[in-house]
Amino acid sequence: MAEFRGQLYRCLTRRADALFELTDALLCTDGPVKTLVGLSLAPEHRRGHGAMYDALNHGRIDVESLRRQLAGLPLPRAADGRLVLAVDVSPWLRPDGNCSPQRSFCHTYGRGKDEHRMIPSWPYSIVAALETGRTSWTALLDAVRLPPGADVTMITCAQIRQLVDRLTGAGQWQAGDPEILIVLDAGYEAPRIAWLLRDLPIEILGRMRSDRVLRRATPPRVYNPEGGRPAKHGGEFVFGDPATWNIEQAVTNTDTRLYSQVKTQAWDRLHPRLTRRAAWIDHDEALPIIAGTVIRLTVEHLPSRGEPKPVWLWWSNVDATTEDVDRCWQAFLRRFDIEHTFRLLKQTLGWTAPQLREPGAADRWTWLVLAAHTQLRLARPLAQDLRRPWERPMAPERLTPARVRRGFRNLRAASSSPARAPKPSHPGPGRPPGSRNRRPAARHDVGLILVTGQAHQRPVHHKKGTKPRRTG
């Protein structure tokens, strides 16, 4: 941990002392972080609140160097020694940030049942390495803010490609090792990502909607005296129609603690039928056939006592065995650990608590939060259980990130801080009393850039004056 703290300080190339002390205050403050200015009152933050905001607004972080440092740390692995990475997008809600540029409308769930809302936010694509066993720990490796109108698939592919290169350069993956497993949720088009990253040593496992229709392998060509083009796709495989499923490639049954009986069914060599629309409109060559394995996961009951529904998964490899099927569905269930990490970042570490105006400052704060989470993970074997009187005792290997954070102040006191002592200074004069602000902040619209890069225009029937005014 001490080595990583020194590396983190070297990655802070401007306002390094203030940024480093802000990270220590984030780790040592008691309770959840509610406001950014409250961190300036922590003993670990020896500077004023003005220096803290100045560091976030005008500081500089060598993000590429920090990414390499994160990739070189010890990472959790699966039972077979394989790296399992989860990719997901989490929004930083900014509904009232009219002066904040580069906001996009992001989907969030409301308080009511089945309530969905689109709220202006800064979406971040985050990659984390997953652990095995009964734990909510993850190893955060990368974070990228998605600009308005961005192609999420292309940004995700570039993010995964750069991360795999860093992992290979750090010796985390070598030739002959098991391929890295990338786990995605239903918001990603798994077959397209598998096609774009087909030259990397990775496997793609993604969830699919329950209303999808895939095609079977191309049937053998049979001479037809009437002529005609040979079939390119096989019969339909309709997720919602069991009559189209036929015989499974593999079937497994597993007894679990939370879900009781878990049954999986796998069908081999299924692919989506692509058309020259949307993402494939600019594809010059013949449309590819992206074959994979479809896995249907059903459980006997849910821990929440809700109605269990089948989960459909698509794996980028073929000829799956029963061991491969069990490994895939178990890895997908581990993907929910990143949701616990998002909740920790937001509710405990206060990732989305600051009301920052500039997206650059939001990026700096995001990387400081990722660095703080990494220090908690490295301090995990050193921390003691400082539990509340009403909490149950936990073994050292079972401590949660929030409990490790309670004792981080004791661990910090045993290690030296590279940050230098602050120099005495006096606040500036500021704006004269009674004078008005002559430079008002600019207002920015939300998400008015489409994926194609073109500006969004209101439809004609939505513009004012295009409908007759109702008089009755």
Side-chain angles (χ1 to χ4, degrees):
M1 185 182 69
E3 181 180 357
F4 175 76
R5 287 170 60 84
Q7 295 170 351
L8 172 62
Y9 183 79
R10 288 189 290 271
C11 293
L12 308 177
T13 56
R14 183 188 293 175
R15 308 293 197 277
D17 300 323
L19 292 175
F20 191 86
E21 289 188 354
L22 178 59
T23 308
D24 280 352
L26 174 63
L27 290 168
C28 300
T29 301
D30 296 331
V33 177
K34 298 297 184 181
T35 59
L36 186 61
V37 70
L39 296 177
S40 63
L41 302 178
E44 291 75 16
H45 194 275
R46 298 174 293 179
R47 290 161 172 82
H49 63 279
M52 177 187 61
Y53 282 106
D54 178 69
L56 286 177
N57 292 325
H58 302 97
R60 182 181 300 166
I61 301 177
D62 189 354
V63 176
E64 292 302 325
S65 179
L66 184 55
R67 283 170 172 160
R68 291 192 297 269
Q69 300 300 332
L70 295 178
L73 295 175
L75 299 179
R77 296 177 181 268
D80 58 351
R82 180 192 311 269
L83 284 173
V84 181
L85 307 180
V87 185
D88 205 353
V89 175
S90 183
W92 181 336
L93 301 183
R94 297 289 285 128
D96 300 327
N98 297 327
C99 300
S100 299
Q102 302 183 17
R103 292 180 301 160
S104 305
F105 284 107
C106 297
H107 173 267
T108 57
Y109 291 98
R111 295 182 179 272
K113 182 179 180 181
D114 298 333
E115 184 180 358
H116 304 268
R117 294 183 179 181
M118 302 298 292
I119 298 181
S121 313
W122 284 323
Y124 281 85
S125 176
I126 297 180
V127 184
L130 304 179
E131 289 192 8
T132 58
R134 298 172 58 183
T135 176
S136 61
W137 285 91
T138 60
L140 298 176
L141 297 175
D142 193 15
V144 174
R145 180 171 48 83
L146 305 178
D151 189 343
V152 179
T153 300
M154 297 302 297
I155 293 182
T156 303
C157 290
Q159 187 178 16
I160 294 176
R161 183 178 296 276
Q162 296 172 5
L163 177 57
V164 171
D165 292 341
R166 290 194 297 269
L167 293 175
T168 304
Q172 301 284 3
W173 185 90
Q174 299 178 359
D177 294 344
E179 292 184 335
I180 303 173
L181 181 62
I182 310 295
V183 187
L184 309 170
D185 204 6
Y188 297 88
E189 185 61 26
R192 184 189 174 199
I193 294 178
W195 169 258
L196 295 175
L197 301 178
R198 60 189 181 278
D199 58 325
L200 297 180
I202 63 173
E203 301 174 359
I204 301 296
L205 176 65
R207 184 166 69 96
M208 283 190 165
R209 293 169 54 95
S210 59
D211 57 354
R212 292 290 298 267
V213 178
L214 300 185
R215 291 302 186 100
R216 299 186 183 275
T218 305
R221 186 172 181 177
V222 180
Y223 172 72
N224 187 0
E226 298 180 359
R229 187 180 64 178
K232 186 177 180 180
H233 306 279
E236 289 185 346
F237 184 93
V238 184
F239 286 5
D241 186 5
T244 62
W245 296 353
N246 293 342
I247 302 176
E248 305 92 338
Q249 176 77 13
V251 179
T252 64
N253 293 275
T254 309
D255 292 328
T256 61
R257 179 180 58 89
L258 295 177
Y259 308 101
S260 188
Q261 188 75 14
V262 176
K263 180 180 179 181
T264 56
Q265 303 166 271
W267 291 269
D268 196 24
R269 301 185 184 278
L270 297 177
H271 64 274
R273 182 177 180 180
L274 305 179
T275 57
R276 295 190 182 276
R277 294 181 300 179
W280 299 93
I281 192 172
D282 296 329
H283 192 77
D284 298 331
E285 303 176 356
L287 294 177
I289 295 180
I290 311 173
T293 302
V294 171
I295 302 174
R296 183 177 185 265
L297 174 65
T298 56
V299 299
E300 189 172 347
H301 67 82
L302 296 176
S304 61
R305 299 181 181 180
E307 180 183 358
K309 298 181 180 180
V311 176
W312 293 90
L313 306 177
W314 186 88
W315 185 44
S316 58
N317 283 4
V318 295
D319 299 330
T321 62
T322 56
E323 292 77 10
D324 294 332
V325 174
D326 286 339
R327 176 171 57 85
C328 287
W329 72 262
Q330 292 173 8
F332 179 77
L333 293 185
R334 300 304 323 173
R335 191 208 70 85
F336 292 96
D337 292 344
I338 197 173
E339 305 292 344
H340 297 285
T341 302
F342 290 156
R343 184 172 62 178
L344 172 76
L345 299 183
K346 294 182 178 181
Q347 297 182 2
T348 303
L349 299 182
W351 171 34
T352 58
Q355 302 296 324
L356 301 176
R357 176 186 296 179
E358 296 298 330
D363 294 343
R364 297 183 195 98
W365 172 247
T366 299
W367 277 106
L368 292 182
V369 173
L370 263 64
H373 183 273
T374 302
Q375 294 185 57
L376 291 178
R377 182 171 63 89
L378 297 177
R380 180 181 175 186
L382 307 174
Q384 296 180 356
D385 186 14
L386 303 180
R387 65 184 183 91
R388 302 290 188 261
W390 55 85
E391 295 177 343
R392 294 180 180 180
M394 299 182 67
E397 63 275 6
R398 293 291 308 279
L399 291 179
T400 61
R403 288 205 182 185
V404 173
R405 179 172 174 260
R406 292 177 187 173
F408 191 86
R409 176 170 288 171
N410 301 332
L411 298 176
R412 178 188 176 275
S415 61
S416 60
S417 175
R420 295 167 294 184
K423 299 179 181 180
S425 61
H426 299 281
R431 194 171 60 198
S435 62
R436 295 183 178 181
N437 183 14
R438 301 182 182 275
R439 293 182 298 178
R443 266 57 175 175
H444 301 274
D445 294 326
V446 183
L448 298 184
I449 302 297
L450 304 178
V451 176
T452 58
Q454 301 175 354
H456 173 267
Q457 295 182 355
R458 251 187 175 184
V460 177
H461 60 281
H462 287 176
K463 296 181 179 180
K464 295 182 179 180
T466 58
K467 291 184 178 181
R469 184 177 181 181
R470 179 180 297 179
T471 57

